[in-house]
Amino acid sequence: MTDKKFAPGIERTFAMVKPDGVQRGLIGEIIARLEKRGLKVVALKMVKPSIEHIDEHYPKDDKWIARLGNKGFTVFDEQGISRKEAMGTEDEFEAGKQVRGWLVDYLVSAPVVPMVIEGVQAIEMVRKIVGSTLPSKADIGTIRGDFSTDSPLAANLTKRPIRNLVHCSETQEEAEHEIAHWFSADEVYEFERSDHAAMF
Ligand code: TYD
C-alpha cells in the first residue's frame, strides 16, 4: 500500500511471528532485524487467533492452494521421493489442501505476534529479510536461513507444516488484505523515526 502522506515508494506490509518464533524466544530478534534495516514497526500485538481468523488469513483460491502443493513437491522431486509416497497424492491441489489444513491448525495452537511494517519497498524488503519459504533453501543471513533447517522432507512427511518462524505478505494485494484483517485503522500508528532524516 503506498500512502500518499509518506514519501514516494513507501509501503506498508504485514508480518507475523509464528508460534515457533514466539516459543523459541525470537520475537525480539525478528523485529530487530526489520528495524535495523530501517523499516518501521507501525502496529504490533500478541494474539491467539481463532480458526476462522486464520482460515480467512490464508488465500483460499485453487491457484494458491495448488502452488502451495507444488512448492513442497519440488523438494520431493529433487530428492527422488515419490509424490504419492510423500503426500498420498500426485495432485498439487490435493497436496496444497493438506498443507493449508496443517498450517491453519498450527497457527491457532499458540500465540502469534502480528505487525505492520512500513518503509521503502517494505513488501519486498521484508520478504528478503525473512528469506525463502523453505528454511533448508533459505540464504544464510535471512531469518529463516539463520534459525531453521526445516523442509518439506521433515515436515510434510510427518503431516505438519514447515516451521519457518515468520509469515510476511507477498504482494501489495496480500498486504492490504492482511493489514485490514489483523488491525483496525486506529491500531496502525503514524510517527517518524528519529533516524529518518539521517537515513533519507
Ligand atoms: P507460501 O505462501 O508458499 O510461503 P511464504 O510463507 O514464504 O509466503 O506458504 C505458506 C506457508 O505454508 C509457509 O510459510 C509454510 C507452509 N508450507 C508447508 O508447511 N509445507 C510446504 O510444503 C509449503 C510449500 C509451505
Side-chain angles (χ1 to χ4, degrees), residues 18 58 64 67-68 71-72 99 103 127 133-134 144 152 156 161-162 164 168 170:
K18 292 182 179 179
Y58 282 111
W64 189 87
R67 185 196 60 88
L68 194 62
K71 238 192 220 186
V99 172
L103 197 55
R127 283 199 72 86
T133 305
L134 312 179
R144 288 167 171 171
N156 297 9
I162 290 165
N164 59 7
C168 58
E170 194 166 2

Side-chain angles (χ1 to χ4, degrees), residues 70-159:
N70 185 54
K71 238 192 220 186
F73 278 161
T74 58
V75 174
F76 296 120
D77 293 351
E78 267 172 29
Q79 299 290 323
I81 296 170
S82 123
R83 294 177 171 198
K84 178 111 181 154
E85 210 176 292
M87 297 294 292
T89 176
E90 299 201 340
D91 185 80
E92 293 171 356
F93 179 72
E94 288 306 317
K97 269 204 307 202
Q98 289 184 62
V99 172
R100 193 183 186 282
W102 301 330
L103 197 55
V104 169
D105 288 344
Y106 182 57
L107 282 162
V108 301
S109 68
V112 293
V113 177
M115 64 192 92
V116 179
I117 305 294
E118 186 183 290
V120 176
Q121 290 179 269
I123 299 166
E124 186 191 338
M125 292 297 158
V126 172
R127 283 199 72 86
K128 270 186 175 165
I129 295 166
V130 166
S132 169
T133 305
L134 312 179
S136 57
K137 290 190 182 283
D139 290 333
I140 301 304
T142 64
I143 294 167
R144 288 167 171 171
D146 285 353
F147 295 105
S148 175
T149 57
D150 205 6
S151 152
L153 288 177
N156 297 9
L157 284 176
T158 54
K159 305 201 178 307

Side-chain angles (χ1 to χ4, degrees), residues 45-64:
K45 60 188 168 190
M46 178 179 274
V47 286
K48 191 160 179 293
S50 68
I51 199 142
E52 294 78 19
H53 194 79
I54 291 294
D55 191 44
E56 289 301 322
H57 164 79
Y58 282 111
K60 288 181 177 178
D61 60 280
D62 293 2
K63 204 170 147 207
W64 189 87

